[in-house]
Amino acid sequence: MMYEEDRSEFYNRLEKFRTDWANQDGFMTYFEQQWIRNDLYKQWVRSFQEAMFRHMELNMFIESFHNQLKTVYLQRRRNRRMDGLIFLLISKVHKRIVRRIKAETNRVGRMGPLALARRERQMKAEAYTLEQLDMMIELKEDGHQIQSFTDINIYYMVTSDDTFITSCTCADFDITQRACKHIYAIKISEPELSVRLPHHSSIANVLEDDVNSNLTEETAVIINNNTSVTPVVQQTHSECIQVILRQMQHHVTDVSFSSADDQSLENIIEQLTSIQQQLNNIGNIGTNRQLQTQLSRRRRN
């Protein structure tokens, strides 16, 4: 019963369970009071859970976060005040999570588990050429029909319009509610489309939404009891340049170039060299940095 994904079938199984164990009065009284009454069954039956959480059968994520909270933030000190814990969650934990999500969204630093899973799905779709994808994909009235990557007799429906790809009928999307390899295949075949998933907004979904947001995006925060909203200060120009350079570096690392790209790459190198010269001609190097540079040059000489 616990793993039943169809609600009507669950109710049938529940009635059968009641009939089979009707002679066990004590057990059935306990079962009804502790597991069924007041809609308690909705907390443990899979068919009543949100699709993206149905694969989570244990509380390991909660235990992991609790361990980080005690070890990293509280440093194993006993906390006796609720207001102190709330302040810690708002002032440090929340900011760190948001900062990590933005870094993963902009492909800065180490990839998290969700980003790794997303990249794995993208690579499965990228393993096919455009000609192969064109043979697997067929345009329909309400989206695209795509052939299964593993069984040529199975087809999935990817819902899309003129602008966005929103869902897929495969089991992976149904369970995780995140962009699957079929959605990424459609995006490769139709690069003008963007991925926008219709499920609820959460921290996990920030990594899955196909948006071009970056670290300069303003974020409103509530800072006092008057609920006055203050925007976060935008990045400086130098920080923006650093973010762009990191993104370019990630792209160059992930993409393989052919001889047909030589001319374009030569033009890019010329432009980057010109930009480097422009950067060298502006700004001032701090005194300490100048001294370190001079010392290193003397050591080399």
Side-chain angles (χ1 to χ4, degrees):
M1 291 189 297
M2 176 178 179
Y3 301 105
E4 181 56 55
E5 297 188 359
D6 184 79
R7 295 186 182 183
S8 59
E9 183 63 25
F10 162 74
Y11 288 122
N12 294 335
R13 289 175 178 268
L14 178 59
E15 291 303 320
K16 185 178 184 301
F17 182 84
R18 285 168 171 165
T19 302
D20 294 342
W21 295 85
N23 59 341
Q24 302 292 330
D25 296 334
F27 169 73
M28 289 307 299
T29 300
Y30 158 78
F31 178 72
E32 293 288 344
Q33 290 181 351
Q34 301 296 326
W35 296 90
I36 301 298
R37 69 187 182 96
N38 297 328
D39 293 341
L40 287 173
Y41 59 88
K42 293 183 179 180
Q43 300 179 15
W44 54 272
V45 178
R46 178 176 290 182
S47 59
F48 292 94
Q49 307 301 316
E50 293 189 42
M52 68 177 300
F53 299 126
R54 289 182 183 177
H55 67 292
M56 299 180 185
E57 300 172 358
L58 302 175
N59 62 346
M60 293 183 295
F61 295 104
I62 298 176
E63 291 181 358
S64 176
F65 174 75
H66 187 222
N67 180 60
Q68 293 181 34
L69 183 63
K70 291 191 300 182
T71 306
V72 178
Y73 296 99
L74 294 175
Q75 298 181 355
R76 294 290 174 181
R77 295 193 300 267
R78 177 174 294 183
N79 177 64
R80 296 181 180 273
R81 296 188 54 169
M82 181 63 71
D83 58 342
L85 179 59
I86 294 175
F87 176 79
L88 178 67
L89 291 172
I90 295 175
S91 63
K92 293 186 178 181
V93 179
H94 175 263
K95 290 183 178 180
R96 183 174 181 180
I97 292 175
V98 172
R99 190 162 55 246
R100 184 186 65 191
I101 290 174
K102 287 187 175 182
E104 291 186 0
T105 304
N106 289 274
R107 299 181 182 182
V108 177
R110 185 176 62 180
M111 298 176 67
L114 292 177
L116 286 172
R118 178 184 60 184
R119 182 56 186 154
E120 182 180 355
R121 296 184 179 98
Q122 289 176 333
M123 292 176 64
K124 289 180 179 179
E126 292 170 355
Y128 291 77
T129 64
L130 287 175
E131 291 76 13
Q132 292 174 321
L133 292 177
D134 289 339
M135 296 176 61
M136 297 169 60
I137 299 171
E138 182 179 355
L139 183 63
K140 296 291 184 178
E141 182 178 353
D142 56 348
H144 297 76
Q145 179 179 279
I146 182 171
Q147 188 182 62
S148 171
F149 286 19
T150 56
D151 190 338
I152 61 174
N153 298 317
I154 298 177
Y155 291 86
Y156 301 109
M157 191 65 195
V158 178
T159 306
S160 62
D161 53 26
D162 295 335
T163 308
F164 299 110
I165 306 172
T166 56
S167 65
C168 180
T169 57
C170 69
D172 183 26
F173 181 84
D174 182 56
I175 293 174
T176 64
Q177 292 293 292
R178 303 190 184 105
C180 60
K181 56 188 177 183
H182 309 106
I183 290 179
Y184 287 121
I186 299 297
K187 193 175 187 308
I188 294 173
S189 179
E190 305 285 347
E192 69 275 5
L193 296 179
S194 299
V195 178
R196 174 169 291 181
L197 306 183
H199 53 276
H200 66 85
S201 178
S202 66
I203 291 179
N205 295 334
V206 175
L207 299 180
E208 297 302 320
D209 291 336
D210 185 23
V211 296
N212 294 322
S213 60
N214 50 51
L215 297 179
T216 64
E217 185 178 5
E218 293 186 354
T219 304
V221 293
I222 299 175
I223 58 172
N224 52 35
N225 294 332
N226 295 327
T227 64
S228 60
V229 179
T230 304
V232 175
V233 179
Q234 291 186 345
Q235 277 187 301
T236 63
H237 293 92
S238 60
E239 291 172 339
C240 292
I241 293 175
Q242 292 176 16
V243 171
I244 294 173
L245 291 177
R246 292 193 191 100
Q247 293 175 347
M248 293 173 59
Q249 183 178 6
H250 281 288
H251 182 78
V252 172
T253 303
D254 296 339
V255 176
S256 58
F257 301 100
S258 63
S259 57
D261 302 317
D262 289 346
Q263 184 61 45
S264 299
L265 291 174
E266 290 177 1
N267 294 335
I268 292 174
I269 292 174
E270 292 180 2
Q271 296 177 23
L272 290 176
T273 303
S274 175
I275 293 174
Q276 182 183 17
Q277 294 175 353
Q278 294 179 40
L279 284 174
N280 292 337
N281 294 331
I282 62 176
N284 297 315
I285 301 177
T287 305
N288 293 334
R289 189 60 180 268
Q290 285 181 338
L291 181 60
Q292 293 175 3
T293 305
Q294 293 174 2
L295 289 175
S296 61
R297 288 176 180 174
R298 291 175 182 175
R299 291 168 184 166
R300 287 197 299 267
N301 295 334

